[in-house]
Amino acid sequence: MENQNIKKASFKSFIKSFTPYQIIYLAAVVLITAVCVIFFPDLMLSTSDATGSGIALVVCSIISVISNPLCELLISKQSKWNFVVDFFLIEIPELVICLAFGWYAVAVTVVCFWMPIDVISFIRWNKHPNNEDENLTQVKRMKPWQTVLAVAGIVAFGFIVGRLLQFIPGSEDSYLDAFASAVGMANGVLLLLRYSEQWLAWLITTVLYLFMDISSGMYVLLITEIAMLVNTIY
């Protein structure tokens, strides 16, 4: 009974931790998404038909648009629950979108990296709790040699995988796809290891996704990319 009361108190404290800025931020994303769905459906379906796969892509886009900012706020609070939101409400919809648009490097990254990393991170973060709240964790900074190694790995992966993707039929934006995957994985590793530099990696990843969304015509996703850029910089 005592443990239940502690958990309830912790949950209430977590809910109260959302600042007016964060509440307005999430509300704005939901409102803008609703406006696009209701008043600009043609823009959301600009690259697909209004039935079948087209509807599925729009549904996945809406889920992703709303869930990404929520997940980012949870990360900013160093909350382990961001991994649950990411696994079910971001990675699965993103996988559908990536396969539809030929972003195979990102699709493989989702299945082979992000989904496993979410599970591992959720478990691992339980072992490094914050002294005041077990749902939070502590963070640290990278050393210079670690930064150089990470950048070298990203560049090598981007060029090699980008080149290989050009030989796959239906593959789109090969190098952009490869570099987005590389920086995204770097972000995931830094997040798993609790390094604060994951925010810089996430900023670069978001910018790359921004260009991918524009090139594919998935303009509704620009809502979440721009929203995440604002929050990441904040």
Side-chain angles (χ1 to χ4, degrees), residues 8-40:
K8 287 181 179 179
S10 178
F11 178 74
K12 289 181 180 178
S13 175
F14 174 73
I15 295 299
K16 291 180 179 179
S17 71
F18 282 86
T19 65
Y21 158 79
Q22 293 169 336
I23 295 172
I24 294 172
Y25 171 78
L26 286 175
V29 171
V30 173
L31 179 61
I32 294 172
T33 303
V35 168
C36 288
V37 172
I38 297 171
F39 297 104
F40 305 103

Side-chain angles (χ1 to χ4, degrees), residues 42-103:
D42 292 339
L43 182 62
M44 300 178 67
L45 289 168
S46 61
T47 59
S48 57
D49 57 72
T51 60
S53 61
I55 296 297
L57 288 176
V58 170
V59 171
C60 288
S61 300
I62 293 172
I63 294 174
S64 179
V65 165
I66 295 175
S67 301
N68 265 293
L70 173 60
C71 186
E72 192 173 59
L73 286 182
L74 292 174
I75 294 174
S76 70
K77 295 177 179 295
Q78 301 304 324
S79 171
K80 65 182 180 181
W81 296 105
N82 82 83
F83 300 113
V84 176
V85 174
D86 186 65
F87 187 96
F88 292 103
L89 301 180
I90 297 177
E91 301 308 334
I92 293 176
E94 184 173 346
L95 179 61
V96 175
I97 294 171
C98 289
L99 292 176
F101 286 99
W103 300 335

Side-chain angles (χ1 to χ4, degrees), residues 4-218:
Q4 289 181 344
N5 291 333
I6 293 175
K7 289 182 178 180
K8 287 181 179 179
S10 178
F11 178 74
K12 289 181 180 178
S13 175
F14 174 73
I15 295 299
K16 291 180 179 179
S17 71
F18 282 86
T19 65
Y21 158 79
Q22 293 169 336
I23 295 172
I24 294 172
Y25 171 78
L26 286 175
V29 171
V30 173
L31 179 61
I32 294 172
T33 303
V35 168
C36 288
V37 172
I38 297 171
F39 297 104
F40 305 103
D42 292 339
L43 182 62
M44 300 178 67
L45 289 168
S46 61
T47 59
S48 57
D49 57 72
T51 60
S53 61
I55 296 297
L57 288 176
V58 170
V59 171
C60 288
S61 300
I62 293 172
I63 294 174
S64 179
V65 165
I66 295 175
S67 301
N68 265 293
L70 173 60
C71 186
E72 192 173 59
L73 286 182
L74 292 174
I75 294 174
S76 70
K77 295 177 179 295
Q78 301 304 324
S79 171
K80 65 182 180 181
W81 296 105
N82 82 83
F83 300 113
V84 176
V85 174
D86 186 65
F87 187 96
F88 292 103
L89 301 180
I90 297 177
E91 301 308 334
I92 293 176
E94 184 173 346
L95 179 61
V96 175
I97 294 171
C98 289
L99 292 176
F101 286 99
W103 300 335
Y104 299 133
V106 175
V108 172
T109 302
V110 167
V111 175
C112 298
F113 178 81
W114 278 111
M115 288 182 170
I117 212 77
D118 281 337
V119 176
I120 295 172
S121 295
F122 183 82
I123 296 172
R124 182 181 174 86
W125 277 37
N126 281 330
K127 299 179 181 179
H128 302 275
N130 182 282
N131 291 331
E132 298 179 0
D133 190 338
E134 64 177 7
N135 289 318
L136 309 182
T137 191
Q138 297 174 321
V139 295
K140 50 192 176 183
R141 287 189 172 277
M142 293 176 67
K143 297 178 180 178
W145 68 266
Q146 292 175 314
T147 302
V148 172
L149 188 63
V151 172
I154 289 170
V155 172
F157 183 96
F159 278 111
I160 294 173
V161 174
R163 178 58 178 168
L164 294 175
L165 285 173
Q166 291 184 326
F167 297 100
I168 300 178
S171 179
E172 298 291 339
D173 304 311
S174 301
Y175 284 103
L176 190 57
D177 183 8
F179 274 101
S181 299
V183 184
M185 286 191 291
N187 165 63
V189 172
L190 293 174
L191 185 59
L192 169 65
L193 299 178
R194 307 180 325 281
Y195 283 106
S196 61
E197 285 81 0
Q198 69 92 194
W199 283 107
L200 178 58
W202 182 237
L203 176 65
I204 298 172
T205 303
T206 304
V207 171
L208 294 175
Y209 281 160
L210 186 71
F211 286 114
M212 291 175 69
D213 295 337
I214 293 173
S215 69
S216 66
M218 287 295 288

